[in-house]
Amino acid sequence: MKLHRLLVLAVLAYAVPAVASDLSVTQSNQTFSSAVMTVHAGDKVSFHNNDTVTHNITVKSASGDADDLGLQKPGGVVSYQFESKGAYRVVCSIHPRMKMMVNAE
Ligand SMILES: [Cu+2]
């Protein structure tokens, strides 16, 4: 009985996506270090350009709003606060292959 309850808890813990505790994302080799990240609504995520080329962060909400954070030179860090719950697409407008998802819950 007790073991059964532990197993259920273990399965639940595995199924629910963990909210990230390290709220930083690295851009290197024109790739984001995370493909999907789960945060709390209101969390601020920092994006670190560890590449030798300029990047951009554009955050697109499910409703179609887009926040363009401008050009981000090598070594630069920009931050974005995901204020509302929802799924966001984060892209680099310079390198179309660079994309990730942020789920704010
Ligand atoms: Cu880029």
Side-chain angles (χ1 to χ4, degrees):
M1 188 66 167
K2 209 171 184 182
L3 179 64
H4 178 72
R5 212 157 46 198
L6 279 175
L7 282 174
V8 169
L9 283 176
V11 168
L12 281 176
Y14 185 75
V16 175
V19 171
S21 55
D22 177 9
L23 297 177
S24 64
V25 174
T26 301
Q27 301 140 286
S28 60
N29 298 318
Q30 299 184 21
T31 307
F32 289 113
S33 55
S34 299
V36 180
M37 186 178 214
T38 300
V39 303
H40 291 297
D43 279 350
K44 196 183 267 188
V45 176
S46 59
F47 298 89
H48 301 253
N49 183 353
N50 284 4
D51 266 327
T52 55
V53 296
T54 297
H55 288 306
N56 158 263
I57 296 290
T58 298
V59 181
K60 298 178 176 178
S61 71
S63 63
D65 292 336
D67 279 333
D68 184 340
L69 306 187
L71 293 179
Q72 184 186 15
K73 292 194 167 146
V77 181
V78 297
S79 296
Y80 187 82
Q81 187 170 19
F82 293 88
E83 287 176 15
S84 307
K85 290 184 179 184
Y88 298 82
R89 285 189 301 137
V90 177
V91 302
C92 169
S93 64
I94 301 168
H95 306 105
R97 280 186 312 135
M98 292 181 68
K99 43 191 160 187
M100 68 174 288
M101 292 288 304
V102 174
N103 295 309
E105 54 178 42

